[in-house]
Amino acid sequence: MLTSFSLSSLEMPSHLQSLREEVRDFLQTQLAAGSYAREPSGWDRYDAAFSRKVAERGWIGMTWPRRYGGHERTSLERYVVTEELLAAGAPVRAHWLADRQFGPLLLAVGSEAQKRDYLPKIAAGECYVCVGMSEPDSGSDLASIRTRADPVKDGWRINGRKVWTSYAHKAHIMNLFARTAVFDPKDRHTGVTQFIVPLDSSGISIRPIINLAGDHDFNEVVFDDVFVPVGNVIGAVGQGWQQVSGELAHERAGSERWLNAYGVLVHLLQNVGTAPERHSAQTIGRLVSHLWTLHRMSFSLAGLLNQGITPQVEAALVKDLGNQFDQDIPEGARAVLQEEDRAGLASNDRFNAMLDRALLYAPSYPIRGGTREILRGIIARGLGLR
Amino acid sequence: MSQTRDLLVASATRIFSDLCTRATLEAADEGAWPEGLWSALDSTGIAAASRSEPRGGAGAEMTDLCALARAAGYWALPVPLVETWLAEQMLAAAHLPPVTGPVTVGPVMRRDAVQLTRDPAGWTLRGVLHRVPWARHATALVLVADSPEGARTLVLKDMPAVTEGWNLAREPRDSLRFEGCRIPDECVGAAGAGMGRPELYFRGALFRSQQMAGAMERVLELTVAYAKERVQFGRPIGKFQAVQQQIAALASQVAASSAAAEAAAEANSDVLARFEIAAAKARIGEAVATVAEVGHQVHAAMGFTHEHSLHRSTRRLWGWRDEFGTEADWQAWVGAVAASVGGEQLWTYVVASRKPDVGPPLP
Ligand SMILES: Cc1cc2nc3c(=O)[nH]c(=O)nc-3n(C[C@H](O)[C@H](O)[C@H](O)COP(=O)(O)OP(=O)(O)OC[C@H]3O[C@@H](n4cnc5c(N)ncnc54)[C@H](O)[C@@H]3O)c2cc1C
């Protein structure tokens, strides 16, 4: 399995480099125009205006068919564009899930009407999606969810409660996981269905859950007799679990899994000067050697996705290493620039704010999108141990 | 990359797996020279794989050699194969004729240097070399020496007596002392014509990284197999989640190391890509700790025996991570590069497939 990280069969088309340059020019222009700056929250910022600018460049829905507003480019091209945006800390969070997961899901299993209704809007940077999987009593054990959808005339009636739903307060629709058949302990992976739920449907209430950093990112979303029409079922009734498995490789393989704390490294380097003492150089060099390796691994995964291969195990493995990297950066940075050094930084220096943010968010990375333990379970299964 | 490589790797792997038997490895541990193995490598052209076609070899590319080095690491090949390739690369760079192996190289330590001086009677060599790989079994030694006109490559065909030493895997690492040793004219290259000491050091690090990546794959394989077969509390230990989680962590480190090794190999296909060599040796060297620790923990007492073959891979990993620069050395080198590149440019630098060469000469 580990030879999947071999790029030997992967051609490195030269136009990828010019595409990189194109994205960098765009970012440079936007930066100069003041439409964004590198902030402590990095790419994890909701900015509809910026998303529309990215869409204008054709960088949302890049791999989708033109008839749905896409641009029919390769996964490798998408990979290059997304990682340039992420590394620059551009505020691309608004369209992220829609572009990364929801669009590909509709293309794989959605109805023609759903594709026509949603994909062009998403590709235009105007329709944002949140994901409603987790519930108070169901986190890692997604199959145990209780939010129910019952068949009614012309549609479904939804009741239940989702938690930790990131940006439900800003998104337009939710990709909802709901139970459509009684839980069967002998066949855990059936009876769950995915729905498109417009968040302005009546009966939905969204309440903030403030996180430990004091930020409003995730929410509690309560469904009280919420009606959705028949056409809002994604794929097949009862097949939600199978459908989500493919989606997860997309979710886990990308560079957003190891580019959350990157701004700290950038600002750390700006503060250590061109000739840091040996111990600092060592700490920084360790992080950079990991960065270089992770980049290689993610790029290889993009190559596999491009060939239509869904590298579940490899994606889990890169996410696990990437989550660790996002935790290692702030740990390394605080060892290099210590309390005393940090106190002496100029008040307009962004390093302290970057570091604080990265330290406070560090625990979240190996939790969201599949915990470390769940990922390692997937890897162990890939090795034939379970 | 190529079909040639696939063929070369396939035939080499056959030789490695057929001839790197338990008996061969045990005898090598006791100090025996595996003549059968070496002559197979010699007769199939694998020993001369780094020689260009005009020089009478297969002309394997760097990526091919690296793939072979990974296979050699996987099989714990107890011979100086990569050293012999390195020696040929040094000779070719200095326009000196090829020599038949096994050959080894020096200096391999940053603080070691040997001096070459000339008087009317010819060239004289002085100095001390430490931990020269496999010197006692080598038919020749290819060295970079300092001369008043600059660095020169030379071949020493009359091997002097060595002071024997070993690394943790009981691979010979010998010291040599030259006190006015005469070198014939035809064995000395022109000043400045060949590889410098720093380049030899980087190339050594590149090959050791490949060998380590291969040895790690072996540890992973052994560990997974053992976890499936060893039964405790009525089930294979691999069914215990605590064990699974550990092995998954091991697998991640092995995957990262393979990726780093391949990336470094590709980057070095036609130029010396020093950043990639440094980053790979740093990343892979760091991974050794987890790989060996988990491998041994899963094998428990059985893996701590001389009888079990796990230590043939783990002892090599512990030895190789210290050779041609530890992970700490290379991390510091990479950190120095990052600092000179600067925060804003770091990303562009790291993802570029061809990087400006900005690091210090040695870690
Ligand atoms: C910042 C953030 C944003 C999020 N955004 C969203 C979102 O937008 N939409 C959404 O649906 N969810 C979201 N989540 C929720 C996330 O998917 C869950 O937190 C995650 O799946 C884990 O569930 P849990 O928190 O209930 O932990 P639990 O599943 O209760 O796990 C608790 C601990 O037990 C361990 N554990 C559980 N089961 C096992 C097992 N079988 N073997 C070994 N160990 C186990 C876990 O690894 C963990 O360490 C978000 C979470 C965070 C932190």
Side-chain angles (χ1 to χ4, degrees), chain A residues 1-3 5-8 12 17 20 24 38 79 83-84 87 255 258-259 262 265-267 269-270 272-276 278 280-286 288-293 295-297 300 317 320-321 328 372-377 379-380 383-386, chain B residues 1 5 217 220 224 227-228 238-239 241 243-245 247-249 251-264 266 275-276 278-280 282-283 286 326-332 334-336 338-340 342-344 346-348 350-353 355 363:
Chain A
M1 102 177 188
L2 301 168
T3 50
F5 291 102
S6 165
L7 278 182
S8 26
M12 196 95 73
Q17 190 51 37
R20 262 194 209 286
R24 286 175 191 167
R38 194 186 278 285
Y79 177 80
E83 82 171 356
E84 287 296 324
S255 7
W258 42 272
L259 282 173
Y262 182 67
L265 192 53
V266 171
H267 283 261
L269 281 168
Q270 286 169 357
V272 295
T274 52
R278 169 148 175 134
S280 300
Q282 212 173 299
T283 304
I284 292 166
R286 172 176 180 268
V288 173
S289 73
H290 282 242
L291 175 71
W292 173 76
T293 306
H295 172 256
R296 165 80 177 199
M297 296 178 96
S300 304
L317 205 143
D320 187 22
L321 290 168
D328 286 352
R372 173 189 298 135
E373 291 71 25
I374 295 302
L375 296 173
R376 291 188 178 176
I379 297 166
L383 292 169
L385 293 173
R386 29 188 308 233
Chain B
M1 196 95 1
R5 173 170 78 175
E217 295 268 359
L220 175 61
V224 169
K228 286 178 182 170
K239 293 285 166 203
Q241 202 186 41
V243 175
Q244 291 173 359
Q245 297 272 313
I247 296 178
S252 296
Q253 294 303 317
V254 176
S257 298
S258 299
E262 293 210 7
E266 274 166 33
F275 176 86
E276 284 81 356
R283 181 66 186 86
E286 180 192 335
T326 64
E327 62 272 25
D329 293 334
W330 289 110
Q331 285 162 356
V334 171
S340 75
E344 275 308 331
L346 179 68
W347 174 258
T348 304
V350 168
V351 303
S353 42
K355 302 176 177 43

Side-chain angles (χ1 to χ4, degrees), chain A residues 39-56:
Chain A
E39 296 286 335
S41 46
W43 65 273
D44 187 11
R45 275 176 294 156
Y46 230 79
D47 183 339
F50 196 87
S51 285
R52 279 194 294 274
K53 289 199 178 106
V54 174
E56 274 164 28

Side-chain angles (χ1 to χ4, degrees), chain A residues 93 97 130-142 162-167 211 217-218 361 363-374, chain B residues 241 245:
Chain A
R93 187 63 154 87
L97 285 181
C130 65
V131 177
M133 293 187 180
S134 307
E135 297 183 5
D137 293 326
S138 305
S140 302
D141 185 11
L142 183 61
K162 292 289 170 183
V163 283
W164 324 129
T165 320
S166 294
Y167 291 112
N211 69 20
D217 164 323
F218 48 37
Y361 274 75
S364 71
Y365 302 124
I367 296 172
R368 60 197 314 175
T371 69
R372 173 189 298 135
E373 291 71 25
I374 295 302
Chain B
Q241 202 186 41
Q245 297 272 313

